[in-house]
Amino acid sequence: MSELLSVFLHLLLFKLVAPVTFRHHRYDDLVRTLYKVHNECPQITRVYSIGRSVQGRHLYVLEISDYPGFHEPLEPEVKYVGNMHGNEVLGRELLLQLCEFLCEEFRNGNRRVARLVQDTRIHVLPSMNPDGYEVAAAKGPNSSGYLVGRNNANGVDLNRNFPDLNTYIYYNEKYGGPNHHLPLPDNWKSQVEPETQAVIQWMRSFNFVLSANLHGGAVVANYPYDKSLEHRVRGFRSAANSPTPDDKLFQKLAKVYSYAHGWMHQGWNCGDYFPDGITNGASWYSLSKGMQDFNYLHTNCFEITLELSCNKFPGQEELQREWLGNREALIQFLEQVHHGIKGMVLDENYNNLAGAVISVSGINHDVTSGDHGDYFRLLLPGTYIVTATAPGFDPETVSVTVGPGEPILVNFHLKRSMAQASPVKRAPSGGRRVRVKVQPRGARKKEMEVKQPRRGPA
Ligand SMILES: [Zn+2]
């Protein structure tokens, strides 16, 4: 065998068996990795920053879609957020692996991945708390302790830092009032950290439909609400099942993850038992000002919180096993955005109507159409009465049967109301959505900031 051939075969063999590198990524390495994926798959990716951390690190997002940078009507937007707690690092590494995997498999012609990329606009924020991560990483795996690096550089727990909208929704459920898109407090920017503000502005600038927030310290898929109705009883935080109007849907989303995961569904993990590997957030422990409740109450986005490892900072040698345990679940969860109903809301002249409200009878939680007039309503299989309304137009109601597969396309053509000729916002010239005002009386409660959770990794 010639030496040249031998070298060639060696290189070929090396290429075939060279393991994907599983390592912890410090900030510079993370940024390099995102741009490396972009350089390998420029046609389906885009790197953008949603803002900066307290110490000035960018909060970088990798977008994966067939038209990066553009919203295609009827193509849903989904997001993954990792490393919100700086010392819970597995999500950060899994999301980097996911970005590399989607890029490589797309290039390899994997039909399932190609379809996902063509039909979905995926946004991945591997680290929401890059400052906290650096503090934890300086200590290294297995030694960072429970709290070192958890908070941002101002010492604030970002998952206790979102405006509390639960107090308003619990009031509205009892006394009447909007059941969706609860407004932000006027001075919200002064109440939240830079990382939280960046994420809220991100949520408001895309019409996200589905999301997961990746944490560590337990192994369970946790769904809203995180805050119980009686958050504190005589000074103690109470734990009580606090279902949303979409409870069955959230349970199913959580189960999709837990059953596609290598071992989450088995229930016994890290010394805790969760049937099916899922839990309502508040029935585990009540948490105020968390991100998943905020997603549901302020936007069209349905978010769950994934607790992915007993050890918050696992050693490098565990990363490959964890990736293999989570890979299918991360893909299947993204695919869940393609269920229920979706469609366009148009006027008689086929203009898009942004901010139209889509209501499903029996579910006290509406969604709205986005800037392009398209809406997405995740639903379990069943028959539903669905109504579209917009100010100045007559409502339109249809009956629709949803199956377990592809979303059903339901378009609405609203006719201008004769009774009322008030102006209506039209996309894309108008604002994002019709604003609703909520003024609950007597429902304003001052929440104490919870600095150190009794337990609870979320
Ligand atoms: Zn956490």
Side-chain angles (χ1 to χ4, degrees):
M1 195 191 301
S2 79
E3 202 172 307
L4 198 66
L5 184 63
S6 160
V7 168
F8 174 76
L9 285 176
H10 180 80
L11 283 174
L12 184 69
L13 190 67
F14 181 77
K15 176 119 179 84
L16 287 176
V17 300
V20 185
T21 49
F22 288 95
R23 64 174 188 278
H24 290 293
H25 294 71
R26 299 291 286 256
Y27 177 72
D28 291 345
D29 201 2
L30 177 147
V31 176
R32 267 197 304 276
T33 302
L34 292 179
Y35 278 99
K36 180 172 151 278
V37 173
H38 172 63
N39 288 333
E40 281 167 8
C41 289
Q43 72 281 27
I44 58 157
T45 62
R46 176 174 74 112
V47 179
Y48 65 95
S49 169
I50 60 168
R52 286 178 187 264
S53 66
V54 171
Q55 294 177 339
R57 294 186 177 90
H58 275 291
L59 304 175
Y60 281 117
V61 173
L62 185 83
E63 176 190 337
I64 307 165
S65 105
D66 54 347
Y67 287 100
F70 297 94
H71 174 78
E72 294 174 83
L74 300 177
E75 189 170 308
E77 313 259 353
V78 296
K79 63 181 161 72
Y80 274 135
V81 177
N83 199 211
M84 178 188 212
H85 289 141
N87 61 337
E88 297 169 15
V89 307
L90 183 59
R92 172 183 177 118
E93 298 307 328
L94 292 176
L95 291 180
L96 289 176
Q97 288 293 335
L98 179 70
C99 292
E100 290 182 332
F101 177 79
L102 291 175
C103 167
E104 275 168 32
E105 291 303 302
F106 184 86
R107 282 162 49 122
N108 290 341
N110 179 322
R111 290 172 71 176
R112 184 182 178 197
V113 168
R115 188 160 183 224
L116 187 64
V117 171
Q118 273 152 22
D119 295 349
T120 325
R121 194 171 174 207
I122 303 161
H123 304 256
V124 179
L125 173 62
S127 180
M128 182 176 164
N129 184 2
D131 298 350
Y133 177 84
E134 293 302 315
V135 173
K139 293 249 177 187
N142 305 314
S143 61
S144 69
Y146 187 76
L147 291 171
V148 177
R150 175 183 175 92
N151 296 343
N152 77 346
N154 286 334
V156 175
D157 184 335
L158 299 177
N159 210 21
R160 311 289 188 278
N161 189 235
F162 283 76
D164 173 21
L165 301 179
N166 295 67
T167 303
Y168 296 97
I169 202 73
Y170 296 150
Y171 178 92
N172 292 355
E173 280 172 3
K174 204 168 173 184
Y175 300 106
N179 66 12
H180 66 105
H181 288 92
L182 302 188
L184 290 164
D186 291 338
N187 56 347
W188 71 274
K189 284 183 185 171
S190 65
Q191 295 176 1
V192 303
E193 292 298 306
E195 295 88 351
T196 309
Q197 184 180 328
V199 166
I200 290 176
Q201 283 167 335
W202 184 41
M203 286 176 190
R204 286 163 59 86
S205 55
F206 293 88
N207 186 19
F208 291 116
V209 179
L210 182 66
S211 172
N213 175 14
L214 280 57
H215 285 248
V219 175
V220 65
N222 173 115
Y223 55 90
Y225 291 123
D226 261 338
K227 183 178 180 177
S228 66
L229 183 58
E230 301 290 338
H231 180 56
R232 283 172 185 278
V233 179
R234 291 189 207 96
F236 293 97
R237 282 188 298 154
S238 64
N241 187 43
S242 303
T244 66
D246 283 288
D247 193 48
K248 287 197 172 72
L249 174 68
F250 272 119
Q251 287 190 35
K252 187 233 174 181
L253 291 171
K255 273 187 204 169
V256 163
Y257 200 94
S258 72
Y259 276 86
H261 185 279
W263 49 90
M264 186 184 282
H265 57 278
Q266 291 166 1
W268 278 111
N269 283 298
C270 324
D272 276 319
Y273 180 71
F274 298 101
D276 295 314
I278 68 169
T279 186
N280 172 268
S283 81
W284 185 12
Y285 61 95
S286 183
L287 176 167
S288 188
K289 302 184 180 183
M291 186 161 73
Q292 72 176 6
D293 288 4
F294 181 85
N295 268 270
Y296 186 67
L297 296 175
H298 185 65
T299 76
N300 286 321
C301 191
F302 287 44
E303 181 172 270
I304 66 171
T305 305
L306 299 168
E307 302 287 344
L308 295 176
S309 59
C310 305
N311 185 348
K312 293 184 176 213
F313 205 138
Q316 201 147 284
E317 67 284 356
E318 292 176 55
L319 295 179
Q320 183 165 16
R321 174 179 174 267
E322 290 291 350
W323 165 244
L324 294 176
N326 282 276
R327 183 179 65 188
E328 175 62 23
L330 287 166
I331 301 288
Q332 271 194 34
F333 186 76
L334 292 175
E335 290 170 339
Q336 293 310 302
V337 78
H338 299 290
H339 289 304
I341 61 173
K342 67 177 183 178
M344 303 296 300
V345 187
L346 308 165
D347 70 8
E348 307 103 308
N349 300 319
Y350 291 86
N351 293 307
N352 302 333
L353 291 177
V357 174
I358 310 299
S359 314
V360 178
S361 68
I363 304 178
N364 188 24
H365 180 83
D366 302 337
V367 300
T368 56
S369 57
D371 282 348
H372 296 74
D374 52 346
Y375 75 91
F376 305 84
R377 206 333 167 172
L378 299 179
L379 289 168
L380 293 172
T383 297
Y384 300 92
I385 307 297
V386 183
T387 301
T389 56
F393 289 83
D394 290 334
E396 189 180 326
T397 297
V398 298
S399 172
V400 56
T401 298
V402 174
E406 294 289 291
I408 307 296
L409 191 66
V410 182
N411 295 329
F412 291 96
H413 294 268
L414 300 188
K415 291 195 173 58
R416 198 168 291 280
S417 169
M418 288 302 156
Q420 194 190 349
S422 67
V424 65
K425 277 183 180 170
R426 282 219 191 88
S429 54
R432 209 167 159 259
R433 46 177 61 105
V434 179
R435 284 253 147 256
V436 281
K437 262 226 149 87
V438 195
Q439 292 284 343
R441 284 155 292 141
R444 215 172 268 272
K445 253 191 248 167
K446 187 86 184 150
E447 286 297 337
M448 295 287 288
E449 187 58 49
V450 183
K451 288 280 187 220
Q452 296 204 353
R454 172 174 50 90
R455 65 179 293 200

